[in-house]
Amino acid sequence: MPQTERPVSMIDPSLLLRPEKVYDDKPIEAFRDYSIDDSDPIKERVRRTYYDMHTNQTVDFVKGKMEKWLKFNHFKSTVKDALIKLNELVDESDPDSDLPNIVHAFQTAERIRQEHPDKEWMHLIGLIHDLGKVMAFYDEPQWCVVGDTFPLGCKWGPSIVYGDDSFKDNPDSYNPKYNTENGIYKPKCGLEQLMMSWGHDEYLYRMLVHNKCKFPKDGLYMIRYHSFYPWHAGGDYKHLLIDSDEEIKQAVLEFNKYDLYTKSAEVPDIEALWPYYEGLIEKYMPGVLEW
Ligand SMILES: [Fe+2]
Ligand SMILES: [Fe+2]
């Protein structure tokens, strides 16, 4: 079905922000297609991942995951070994890529390197941005590891993919503490006060802080909010934001175009690229880290 004929909740809000451009021969509107078609196994896999996510992510669930993961006592690993581990992961929420995640990591990093040759920290952010997905190897289902994120404890944003129907079995939808416009938040509390759905963004952000990695603040924001499409692309939750959140958004949007539109780019020569990135790892996040 062409994009324009989809029901409103199926139109991806990031389309509104996209330049009229074709990336690597794939037209812009062909990315992030969340239309429902149960005869298409990839679309059905994506839909199922999001319905599970929207049914099971609740305030209590996220508190439990923070309790489990923010002790950083699951494993110890260098960044390179963790990246190699991602070779075994295919993201089930992603309609645009069926490649192992490490390929996506290098595609993103290399495109940033082409367009921002002087920002070496951002090359490394591109490489590591999905590393939080290693949680999938530690008994976490993909619906709480991958995919777009959204805040818990307040009304669901109107531009979340698959819309309200996907939240119909979520108990927080019916909890009066959580289902109002502001919910548990004060108006204009600021982006960083929001409790986000549990996934690879928040986990990796916290892990970088815990291990005292040396990225500038913009790099940390790119990690923490890159999957928050209902905010950075959909414009939801304005009533909870403060003026300075706009600067965070600009940083995240600058990162995001390389994350999203490089997925059909050619597969990079990973072996040849390692020495450059190992140098960056040594500078910004050296040694064995706690995960
Ligand atoms: Fe991601
Ligand atoms: Fe990504």
Side-chain angles (χ1 to χ4, degrees):
M1 196 169 14
Q3 194 83 28
T4 46
E5 290 172 22
R6 291 182 205 161
V8 172
S9 64
M10 296 304 139
I11 296 175
D12 178 60
S14 67
L15 280 175
L16 304 173
L17 299 171
R18 289 172 195 173
E20 291 303 315
K21 216 176 149 187
V22 172
Y23 284 82
D24 302 304
D25 299 328
K26 180 165 171 173
I28 281 292
E29 66 275 7
F31 286 91
R32 288 176 59 85
D33 175 358
Y34 294 102
S35 58
I36 293 176
D37 176 357
D38 52 21
S39 67
D40 177 332
I42 295 208
K43 282 188 174 153
E44 190 48 22
R45 179 191 78 189
V46 173
R47 189 199 66 81
R48 193 168 329 107
T49 305
Y50 274 105
Y51 267 69
D52 287 344
M53 178 197 294
H54 295 171
T55 299
N56 293 297
Q57 294 262 5
T58 63
V59 169
D60 286 345
F61 175 83
V62 174
K63 284 181 184 165
K65 289 301 163 199
M66 288 183 160
E67 186 64 29
K68 172 178 172 184
W69 282 100
L70 300 184
K71 295 190 177 82
F72 303 101
N73 59 0
H74 288 82
F75 63 104
K76 291 187 173 90
S77 168
T78 63
V79 170
K80 184 175 182 182
D81 286 345
L83 276 162
I84 290 168
K85 205 165 172 51
L86 276 196
N87 214 358
E88 294 153 37
L89 185 81
V90 173
D91 183 333
E92 293 174 2
S93 74
D94 192 340
D96 297 313
S97 183
D98 240 349
L99 295 170
N101 224 266
I102 193 168
V103 176
H104 166 58
F106 276 93
Q107 284 171 329
T108 309
E110 281 293 290
R111 187 62 63 87
I112 294 172
R113 191 174 163 196
Q114 276 167 19
E115 308 232 352
H116 295 278
D118 51 325
K119 280 194 185 167
E120 60 171 20
W121 61 267
M122 197 173 162
H123 311 166
L124 186 54
I125 288 289
L127 190 74
I128 66 162
H129 75 280
D130 279 338
L131 257 188
K133 293 180 184 175
V134 292
M135 287 190 293
F137 298 112
Y138 293 83
D139 293 333
E140 297 296 0
Q142 289 219 3
W143 55 258
C144 72
V145 172
V146 301
D148 293 2
T149 58
F150 52 90
L152 280 304
C154 62
K155 199 174 190 312
W156 315 121
S159 68
I160 298 176
V161 293
Y162 300 106
D164 278 351
D165 182 67
S166 59
F167 288 101
K168 64 182 184 306
D169 296 322
N170 184 314
D172 284 5
S173 297
Y174 308 98
N175 186 328
K177 273 197 300 190
Y178 302 146
N179 66 9
T180 63
E181 214 56 45
N182 293 318
I184 58 175
Y185 307 107
K186 293 200 170 70
K188 299 205 176 295
C189 60
L191 176 68
E192 292 180 85
Q193 300 307 313
L194 303 181
M195 176 196 265
M196 301 302 297
S197 53
W198 188 249
H200 65 286
D201 296 38
E202 184 73 17
Y203 170 59
L204 185 63
Y205 162 72
R206 302 276 198 133
M207 179 275 180
L208 296 176
V209 173
H210 172 78
N211 285 287
K212 303 189 171 56
C213 299
K214 302 173 194 108
F215 291 105
K217 270 209 143 220
D218 275 358
L220 297 176
Y221 290 135
M222 289 171 187
I223 297 291
R224 192 177 194 185
Y225 297 113
H226 73 272
S227 304
F228 190 6
Y229 277 83
W231 160 69
H232 64 63
D236 296 353
Y237 305 103
K238 286 199 175 72
H239 57 293
L240 298 175
L241 303 176
I242 49 179
D243 289 347
S244 56
D245 291 336
E246 187 55 33
E247 288 159 39
I248 301 181
K249 185 155 105 180
Q250 291 316 314
V252 173
L253 287 175
E254 182 52 30
F255 168 78
N256 247 65
K257 56 187 183 197
Y258 308 113
D259 184 12
L260 182 56
Y261 302 126
T262 56
K263 287 177 184 171
S264 61
E266 62 185 71
V267 175
D269 182 349
I270 293 177
E271 281 314 309
L273 291 169
W274 267 122
Y276 173 71
Y277 288 97
E278 280 174 302
L280 295 184
I281 291 168
E282 191 52 35
K283 186 166 171 185
Y284 291 93
M285 44 197 321
V288 178
L289 306 181
E290 292 180 335
W291 301 74

